[in-house]
Amino acid sequence: MSSQLHSLKPFNTFNLDASAEQVVVVETVAELTAVWQNSQHQQQPVLLLGEGSNILFLEDFQGTVIVNHLKGIRVEESESAWHLHVGAGENWHMLVQYSLKNGFSGLENLAMIPGCVGSAPIQNIGAYGVELKNVCEYVDVLDLASGETQRLSAEQCQFGYRDSIFKHQYQAGYAIVAVGLLLKKQWLPVMTYGDLIKLDPATVSPQQIFDSVCQMRSSKLPDPKVTGNAGSFFKNPVVDAEMAQSLRENYPDAPLYPQADGKVKLAAGWLIERCDLKGFSVGGAAVHRQQALVLINQNQATGSDIVALAHEVRQRVGSKFNVWLEPEVRFIGARGEKDAVGVIA
């Protein structure tokens, strides 16, 4: 049996040496539906993957992994905006480059986020002051049992911080097949984070923001092709104003980001760094030395190494700050997704 297992190493950016009983790359909705229905018929677990950039395999997967390669970009123009209809299997960063090259702005802050377009709504990806929900018009979702596709408006997607309806009622038995983006012609630059605040609002261009974001990400984040990682491992915690105030009193340099609902977002990377965890390792896994929010596969790490490291990071931050970090990365067990907080608690 083991000789028939298929390696998942090429399909996860942590570069973990896990395997699955079957790996199928699909390029059409019909193929995707057929493979899923066949797996259901055989009572086999199924995992839908894009580029595996936000996945941690805890062990070998005892079923079929379907890799979504649905491609294609269509553009329509209205009086005030560009409307992009993008296949779920398109690479996200290449889409950002494509949009800039064609004069559509609005995605530049989201440059260099790893993964494919279909994964973007699940997490409501965000960076440097912009989230997917700011540019999303709709998401096309396939009901895998019936083979029918329905279109959810951005409002119906129930986007939250690293959250959406696709993590809840549309998680099992559904697949995102396309995403609709609305990029307004009247461009408003977002320059609230990092080096972007140094740019001149009067003369700044989308390309300058794109270049600055790429530069910041490249300087802090390891390239998954060289060092296995899944980008930001933990969500930035959101706390009430009182807790944020007490943190600021004890640590005047603590970065605080007030939210619309009166709560305050903290920087998980800063919290981890203040626990002197940069470079800290367990087995083959380590906290990245340039960006503490990133856990890396330093030396042939296993899923268990990364779990043990994440547990240690969570405990140390929790005992020092009374803030309990939650993984942003999805944890995949032998038969499907597991509760990440439960695994590392």
Side-chain angles (χ1 to χ4, degrees):
M1 185 70 186
S2 60
S3 62
Q4 296 177 330
L5 292 177
H6 297 262
S7 173
L8 292 170
K9 217 170 183 181
F11 302 105
N12 77 100
T13 60
F14 256 123
N15 204 22
L16 294 176
D17 200 7
S19 60
E21 288 183 14
Q22 193 179 13
V23 177
V24 184
V25 177
V26 298
E27 295 181 358
T28 66
V29 168
E31 284 176 355
L32 176 51
T33 309
V35 175
W36 186 86
Q37 290 180 356
N38 185 46
S39 296
Q40 292 300 109
H41 185 63
Q42 294 177 13
Q43 299 185 319
Q44 257 197 341
V46 181
L47 175 66
L48 297 175
L49 270 194
E51 294 184 6
S53 60
N54 200 46
I55 293 283
L56 174 65
F57 286 111
L58 304 175
E59 53 202 322
D60 291 341
F61 187 70
Q62 294 173 0
T64 299
V65 171
I66 303 176
V67 182
N68 181 337
H69 269 202
L70 275 64
K71 297 290 177 78
I73 302 174
R74 286 203 316 270
V75 182
E76 289 180 13
E77 183 180 0
S78 65
E79 201 176 320
S80 62
W82 302 98
H83 304 264
L84 278 62
H85 178 89
V86 189
E90 291 284 349
N91 175 273
W92 177 264
H93 180 64
M94 286 169 75
L95 169 69
V96 177
Q97 290 175 307
Y98 167 92
S99 66
L100 278 176
K101 192 173 134 197
N102 286 281
F104 320 140
S105 44
L107 299 181
E108 53 285 335
N109 293 58
L110 302 174
M112 277 186 80
I113 293 180
C116 62
V117 169
S119 307
I122 300 173
Q123 287 288 104
N124 180 27
I125 60 169
Y128 299 105
V130 176
E131 290 181 319
L132 180 81
K133 70 174 183 182
N134 304 129
V135 291
C136 182
E137 188 168 18
Y138 59 80
V139 176
D140 286 352
V141 189
L142 173 66
D143 181 328
L144 290 157
S146 69
E148 291 176 12
T149 301
Q150 69 179 107
R151 178 161 292 181
L152 299 184
S153 68
E155 191 179 19
Q156 289 172 310
C157 294
Q158 297 177 17
F159 290 124
Y161 174 56
R162 298 294 174 271
D163 197 26
S164 70
I165 200 166
F166 308 108
K167 284 190 168 184
H168 305 286
Q169 75 188 73
Y170 281 96
Q171 184 179 25
Y174 296 90
I176 292 171
V177 292
V179 177
L181 301 173
L182 187 152
L183 303 179
K184 292 177 179 164
K185 291 181 179 175
Q186 193 169 1
W187 178 62
L188 284 172
V190 178
M191 304 184 299
T192 47
Y193 283 77
D195 291 346
L196 298 181
I197 57 175
K198 298 175 189 168
L199 299 173
D200 181 354
T203 59
V204 73
S205 69
Q207 186 67 44
Q208 280 178 302
I209 288 183
F210 172 88
D211 291 342
S212 183
V213 167
C214 289
Q215 208 282 317
M216 285 188 286
R217 289 187 79 95
S218 302
S219 68
K220 291 193 302 188
L221 301 172
D223 181 348
K225 293 185 185 75
V226 180
T227 306
N229 74 92
S232 303
F233 192 89
F234 295 100
K235 298 177 192 176
N236 287 317
V238 178
V239 300
D240 59 37
E242 195 181 358
M243 183 155 199
Q245 183 56 37
S246 105
L247 183 69
R248 175 56 59 85
E249 284 166 10
N250 292 319
Y251 301 91
D253 64 331
L256 305 178
Y257 303 102
Q259 303 297 291
D261 59 4
K263 295 200 166 175
V264 179
K265 189 188 288 181
L266 310 179
W270 183 90
L271 296 169
I272 297 166
E273 206 175 311
R274 286 299 171 278
C275 294
D276 296 323
L277 284 165
K278 275 187 170 178
F280 179 79
S281 64
V282 174
V287 178
H288 189 50
R289 290 184 184 279
Q290 270 74 46
Q291 169 52 280
L293 193 50
V294 177
L295 304 188
I296 60 171
N297 177 355
Q298 184 170 259
N299 183 20
Q300 297 181 331
T302 62
S304 305
D305 290 344
I306 292 164
V307 166
L309 178 62
H311 168 80
E312 190 62 29
V313 170
R314 185 173 195 263
Q315 293 301 319
R316 291 210 197 172
V317 169
S319 60
K320 186 175 176 103
F321 296 106
N322 198 26
V323 174
W324 297 89
L325 299 178
E326 298 184 6
E328 186 176 311
V329 173
R330 296 170 61 204
F331 285 27
I332 309 297
R335 299 186 67 81
E337 187 160 357
K338 294 196 161 185
D339 169 38
V341 174
V343 172
I344 68 164

